[in-house]
Every structure is written in structure tokens, then in C-alpha cells.
Amino acid sequence: MPLSFATDIRPLFRDDPDVETMMSIGIDLSSYAHVKAKAKLILSRLEDGTMPCDGPWPNERIALFKQWITEGMQA
Ligand code: HEM
């Protein structure tokens, strides 16, 4: 089974500060459609370690997000 946004990806984002802060910057990390549309930009910031602002994700988490993209970004 491919990874899904609801089950595998959404829980990676903290309601606060991830969703809360990024909402005010124009990216809704709680929205499947929005994360799908911005996936490349999000991945680039996860990979360069500049997001989240309070500490980069471990590689396994980034790999999971990448896998979700590769598998076609299921809801
Ligand atoms: C996993 C969680 C997060 C992801 C995936 C994420 C993703 C992103 C992305 C893709 C941008 C670039 C937006 C653009 O160029 O239009 C950005 C910008 C920004 N984010 Fe986040 N973010 C996360 C968490 C946070 C947190 C926790 C904070 C601070 C509390 C934060 C603060 C900012 C700020 C201030 C900017 C604008 C300045 C900049 O581009 O560096 N983000 N974020």
C-alpha cells in the first residue's frame, strides 16, 4: 500500500508550531491539496535543513515524505 497523506504524512506536522506558523506564511500543512501543490518546495526546505525552523527532521522522516511523493501523493 502506498503511503497516504492522512495516515502517514499529516501526523509528521505538529499543529503548533508547524501548521500554525506556516499557515501565516501561506502554506497550509494541514491541507492535502496544499501540501500536494507545494510538495517540491516543502521537500527542498526539509532537505536543506532550514525547515522546520526549530530543528531539521531526521533523514528517515525526510525519506518518508520523499516516498509519499514518489508514490504519487495519495490522499
Ligand atoms: C515541517 C514543518 C515545516 C515545513 C515543511 C515548512 C516549510 C516551509 C517552506 C516550504 C517555506 C518556504 C515558503 C516560500 O518560499 O514560499 C517556509 C518558510 C518559512 N517558514 Fe516554514 N516550514 C515548517 C515549519 C516551520 C516552523 C516550525 C517555523 C517557525 C516557528 C517556520 C517558519 C518559517 C518562516 C519564518 C518562513 C519564511 C522565511 C523563509 O523562507 O525561511 N516554519 N517554510
Side-chain angles (χ1 to χ4, degrees):
M1 269 236 312
L3 297 179
S4 82
F5 180 77
T7 307
D8 305 294
I9 302 303
R10 174 62 185 87
L12 300 177
F13 303 127
R14 299 162 295 178
D15 289 338
D16 188 15
D18 294 336
V19 174
E20 193 79 7
T21 309
M22 289 312 302
M23 194 86 82
S24 66
I25 291 163
I27 294 184
D28 183 356
L29 294 174
S30 71
S31 152
Y32 164 67
H34 213 145
V35 172
K36 188 178 175 184
K38 299 275 181 185
K40 277 215 171 115
L41 181 62
I42 290 169
L43 179 62
S44 74
R45 297 296 295 257
L46 291 173
E47 283 186 320
D48 73 13
T50 57
M51 286 294 142
C53 73
D54 57 348
W57 277 5
N59 287 336
E60 309 86 71
R61 267 169 103 93
I62 301 175
L64 214 58
F65 190 77
K66 224 169 165 171
Q67 187 186 338
W68 176 69
I69 295 176
T70 316
E71 290 176 349
M73 297 185 275
Q74 306 304 312

